[in-house]
Amino acid sequence: MNRPSPAGRPFRRLYRDRDDRVVAGVAAGIAEHLRVSPLVVRVIFIGLLFGSGFGALLYVAFWAVLPVRPPAGEGEPPRRSNGLQRAALVALALGAVALQFQLRPSFSVDSALVALAVVVALGAGVIWHQTDPLRRRAAATADPSVSGAAERLRVAALVEEPPDRRWFLLRVAGGGLLIIVGIVGILGFLAPGRITLSTMAVGLLFALIALVGLVLAMAPILWRIMGQLREERVARIREQERAEVAAIVHDQVLHTLALIQRSATDPSSVMRLARGQERSLRGWLYGPVGSPNERFAAALEQVAAEVENAYGLNVETVVVGDAGHDERVAAVVAATREALVNAARHAGVSTVSLYAEVEGDALTVFVRDRGAGFEMSTIDSDRHGISGSIIGRMQRHGGVARIRSTPGEGTEVELSIRLVTPAVPGEAAGAGPQTVTVPGEPGLGNTGRQ
Amino acid sequence: MTGSTGEASAPLRVYLVDDHAMFRAGVRAELRAQPGAAGSPDIDVVGEAGTVAEAIAGITALRPDVVLLDVHMPDGGGRAVLDAVRRTLPEVRFLALSVSDAAEDVIGLIRGGARGYVTKTISPEQLADAVRRVADDDAVFSPRLAGFVLDAFARPDVPVADPELDQLTNREREVLRLLARGYAYKEIAKELYISIKTVETHVSNVLRKLQVSNRYELSRWAADRRLV
């Protein structure tokens, strides 16, 4: 996540760049920060090796304190550095070290001290990096204003349990060992002669005992701090969820209830408000069925909702199976809408049944009301909606519309069509073999471009 | 099959289980006001409960003919009541009543032993009708439940373990389809040129299959929701 600073310029921090690394990405990170070529920084580091290996110390120190740059985006392939260049750089560094020994064959105290300091820094870095994800999480917790923090937090809470406790302990122990070895070594060099192998062993033992004592003393505190962090995180997630529920209740439900109270004398608008709210809450609770532009079932539900909303009607929708969306499906959905609108306008009922079924490549829709009904012979003269928008539309797309109506008993409109795209086996049918449509086949509509 | 013959005069004894007192009051008033076949009310609400524990105690003590059971309640819901009394009181019929249209709720209650499922938006006449039907040992399917069943028993891609239980006959499928299209039993009978009794038999058979079939989709539904 490359979050831009308020001024619009990307926020620049010094990171290690693991994607473009030779050793640990320190040089690449510094180079990116300074906007110079990584090669320049690398050569400078190698040059600094001549100062008793000072370059190595500097490098390790940077490695220990610099955080890894967070990935810029999902799916971005990691950049690989040039293998040849890498080999050349490693050879150059080795050459520098060898040359130094060549120049000063006598055992140099400086370079040994630097080497030991490098060992200490390495150990510290290993331990330091173990705490890194924790620090990042704490930072995210402390800064809820960052957009998307809630999501990140939730994901972090779900995913980011310590991946492997044993690995973690092993690394911390290894880092500690490196630090101890380095410090003992430095002491040995600073006080030559006074420290023998046996006194060193005794010293080490004491150091170890002291360390164990320290760990024992600190463990409960550390444990409590970690527990508090965890609790805080959980509490914050709960708070986020509560806020989301509160937003829904406040923005929608309370508003709808207020409107219902104001229009209490008008049953049809009360009905409309209640149905609309119900639909919205259901969608929120059970999740959306899919995009109306992509799925037949979702498109049908949307049309039913629109008609319910516009005419204060109750559409009892049942959909069995589902299919992708194309021109034919769109035609069926449009004709369904027309049939629903007709029922709302002319049948004089409060409930209409809508049943749709996708079985194999056959798509069938029934719209039924128990309303006024009409004489079939009057269709052509005064029911233009039926002849044009339903029968004609279905015929144009190679489908059939059948209408049965009996005055006083109700009307049923049946729409059926053959799908070009194969039916999606409903969630019940699992992953069965599917026919693949060939893009560019005539009459496919927009299916080839999905 | 036994209820309607000898005791036509005695009203049906109904027990309400729902955690919303207002809803219980509404249903009670509506059911008592419904005129039966003879013109006088034939449904009596003999008791009601707002919690699972109350419901179990009340049903065991009163042994009603039909229990109207809410799916969602704070302390376990209709499923807990069903599990507690279904074994000991096999003669009590349950009709699930819910605001939820979620497939897992519907299927869960049916597989728990309920003989039908209707949503709370049902009209008083239809509810009374459903109660009578369940008391008569028939099944009650809302259009949505019929749709779910058609979906769950859709095209058998994989060979089923027990065709007797795991598949619907063509006739059963036709009946369900008409139910989903909003047809009443009487209208289905007329449409298919069969008697109402035959329609009832088909629906009852579907209910039995729904309750005992181990079809993959049903067991997966149940396993996903840890229902069975």
Side-chain angles (χ1 to χ4, degrees):
Chain A
M1 261 159 251
N2 221 344
R3 51 188 147 103
S5 72
R9 236 173 34 136
F11 181 77
R12 276 155 63 86
R13 259 191 80 179
L14 189 50
Y15 287 119
R16 275 193 295 134
D17 190 346
R18 283 185 71 96
D19 293 340
D20 185 19
R21 62 172 175 168
V22 173
V23 181
V26 171
I30 293 173
E32 193 178 311
H33 189 70
L34 299 175
R35 304 197 173 176
V36 293
S37 159
L39 192 63
V40 173
V41 183
R42 280 169 190 151
V43 168
I44 290 174
F45 268 118
I46 288 170
L48 285 174
L49 276 177
F50 282 105
S52 303
F54 179 67
L57 181 58
L58 199 65
Y59 191 93
V60 172
F62 268 121
W63 166 77
V65 296
L66 289 190
V68 175
R69 189 164 58 107
E74 290 304 309
E76 189 179 288
R79 280 172 292 154
R80 283 266 143 247
S81 69
N82 186 339
L84 205 66
Q85 193 189 19
R86 172 180 295 199
L89 283 167
V90 170
L92 207 58
L94 286 176
V97 172
L99 195 65
Q100 205 159 31
F101 278 109
Q102 207 65 32
L103 287 176
R104 286 196 278 178
S106 62
F107 194 61
S108 150
V109 177
D110 302 1
S111 58
L113 277 181
V114 167
L116 286 168
V118 166
V119 169
V120 172
L122 264 177
V126 166
I127 295 178
W128 191 244
H129 288 162
Q130 291 313 301
T131 62
D132 200 29
L134 205 69
R135 281 189 302 148
R136 271 217 304 273
R137 218 182 303 158
T141 316
D143 187 10
S145 62
V146 177
S147 72
E151 282 93 323
R152 225 179 304 151
L153 205 62
R154 197 164 309 165
V155 171
L158 293 174
V159 182
E160 231 181 294
E161 281 305 303
D164 193 344
R165 210 168 276 268
R166 209 184 315 162
W167 190 231
F168 173 81
L169 286 178
L170 210 69
R171 284 191 169 190
V172 170
L177 200 68
L178 280 177
I179 293 177
I180 291 169
V181 166
I183 289 176
V184 168
I186 290 171
L187 282 178
F189 272 106
L190 290 182
R194 252 174 284 168
I195 293 183
T196 62
L197 209 65
S198 65
T199 52
M200 197 185 279
V202 172
L204 258 179
L205 192 68
F206 277 122
L208 207 68
I209 290 170
L211 196 70
V212 168
L214 198 69
V215 166
L216 281 179
M218 296 292 285
I221 298 173
L222 278 175
W223 186 251
R224 198 180 311 152
I225 290 175
M226 277 168 80
Q228 274 171 355
L229 253 169
R230 210 177 302 137
E231 269 170 31
E232 218 169 88
R233 209 169 74 224
V234 169
R236 192 166 278 279
I237 291 164
R238 269 205 208 110
E239 178 57 29
Q240 297 272 4
E241 265 164 14
R242 204 199 62 79
E244 199 184 325
V245 172
I248 294 257
V249 169
H250 188 267
D251 297 348
Q252 296 190 8
V253 180
L254 290 182
H255 198 238
T256 307
L257 287 176
L259 283 175
I260 284 178
Q261 285 170 44
R262 287 180 53 169
S263 50
T265 49
D266 179 3
S268 79
S269 72
V270 168
M271 167 94 182
R272 177 162 40 218
L273 287 165
R275 282 291 287 181
Q277 184 60 65
E278 182 191 344
R279 223 169 20 240
S280 141
L281 282 180
R282 270 186 206 290
W284 183 63
L285 273 177
Y286 303 122
V289 274
S291 160
N293 299 322
E294 290 165 7
R295 313 297 318 157
F296 166 66
L300 208 64
E301 302 265 5
Q302 192 191 36
V303 160
E306 280 169 17
V307 175
E308 277 191 347
N309 219 11
Y311 294 93
L313 184 79
N314 189 354
V315 180
E316 228 175 67
T317 312
V318 178
V319 184
V320 173
D322 201 354
H325 203 274
D326 64 8
E327 268 175 26
R328 293 179 177 214
V329 170
V332 172
V333 171
T336 304
R337 185 196 161 86
E338 202 56 42
L340 287 171
V341 168
N342 267 318
R345 279 199 186 136
H346 305 293
V349 290
S350 61
T351 303
V352 177
S353 298
L354 167 60
Y355 172 71
E357 179 184 75
V358 183
E359 202 172 38
D361 64 346
L363 193 163
T364 322
V365 176
F366 295 91
V367 177
R368 180 168 192 268
D369 68 72
R370 287 207 179 82
F374 53 87
E375 286 291 344
M376 295 299 288
S377 53
T378 63
I379 282 182
D380 284 333
S381 55
D382 66 332
R383 298 233 174 182
H384 179 74
I386 288 181
S387 57
S389 306
I390 300 179
I391 300 175
R393 194 195 300 264
M394 291 304 289
Q395 278 170 354
R396 277 198 300 281
H397 289 88
V400 183
R402 277 185 220 95
I403 296 166
R404 293 193 301 177
S405 188
T406 313
E409 281 184 26
T411 309
E412 184 165 53
V413 178
E414 176 186 348
L415 313 169
S416 56
I417 205 163
R418 293 260 153 215
L419 288 175
V420 186
T421 40
V424 172
E427 68 157 272
Q434 275 192 43
T435 331
V436 178
T437 39
V438 186
E441 198 180 314
L444 260 179
N446 58 11
T447 50
R449 275 175 277 125
Q450 272 178 5
Chain B
M1 272 154 242
T2 49
S4 59
T5 47
E7 350 160 358
S9 53
L12 284 171
R13 302 170 69 243
V14 172
Y15 193 89
L16 294 179
V17 182
D18 196 302
D19 56 323
H20 293 97
M22 262 175 58
F23 182 78
R24 290 203 304 268
V27 170
R28 191 175 51 221
E30 281 169 7
L31 283 181
R32 281 180 173 156
Q34 284 302 308
S40 60
D42 61 344
I43 295 175
D44 188 22
V45 178
V46 293
E48 54 185 75
T51 65
V52 171
E54 269 176 51
I56 294 169
I59 294 167
T60 314
L62 291 167
R63 299 185 177 244
D65 295 315
V66 176
V67 176
L68 284 184
L69 196 57
D70 188 17
V71 176
H72 292 281
M73 288 198 293
D75 47 355
R79 185 64 200 237
V81 179
L82 266 176
D83 289 345
V85 296
R86 185 84 192 112
R87 289 274 159 73
T88 50
L89 300 170
E91 73 278 8
V92 177
R93 282 89 171 193
F94 291 85
L95 176 62
L97 195 61
S98 167
V99 292
S100 167
D101 273 341
E104 60 269 23
D105 292 338
V106 184
I107 304 289
L109 260 285
I110 296 289
R111 281 176 80 79
R115 290 208 59 85
Y117 181 97
V118 291
T119 48
K120 283 184 177 175
T121 50
I122 192 173
S123 72
E125 300 80 35
Q126 285 176 311
L127 180 60
D129 199 43
V131 167
R132 290 185 198 109
R133 211 171 275 291
V134 168
D136 243 7
D137 234 6
D138 287 325
V140 173
F141 279 33
S142 69
R144 203 150 265 222
L145 176 54
F148 285 149
V149 178
L150 281 170
D151 231 347
F153 284 88
R155 323 153 274 279
D157 301 334
V158 281
V160 287
D162 183 354
E164 272 291 289
L165 280 183
D166 297 345
Q167 274 175 15
L168 299 180
T169 65
N170 283 338
R171 207 51 159 176
E172 285 162 358
R173 220 173 266 280
E174 278 175 86
V175 170
L176 281 180
R177 221 170 257 148
L178 287 167
L179 273 174
R181 278 159 65 180
Y183 280 60
Y185 282 22
K186 197 174 63 188
E187 294 164 323
I188 295 173
K190 194 175 146 205
E191 181 80 16
L192 297 179
Y193 304 105
I194 53 181
S195 72
I196 295 182
K197 201 71 221 161
T198 314
V199 176
E200 286 169 351
T201 310
H202 283 310
V203 179
S204 289
N205 286 342
V206 173
L207 183 86
R208 190 175 54 88
K209 291 181 181 179
L210 194 55
Q211 283 174 339
V212 294
S213 167
N214 282 318
R215 247 186 92 104
Y216 166 69
E217 293 79 17
L218 290 172
S219 33
R220 198 192 57 171
W221 248 339
D224 281 356
R225 275 55 182 199
R226 275 180 269 140
L227 291 169
V228 179

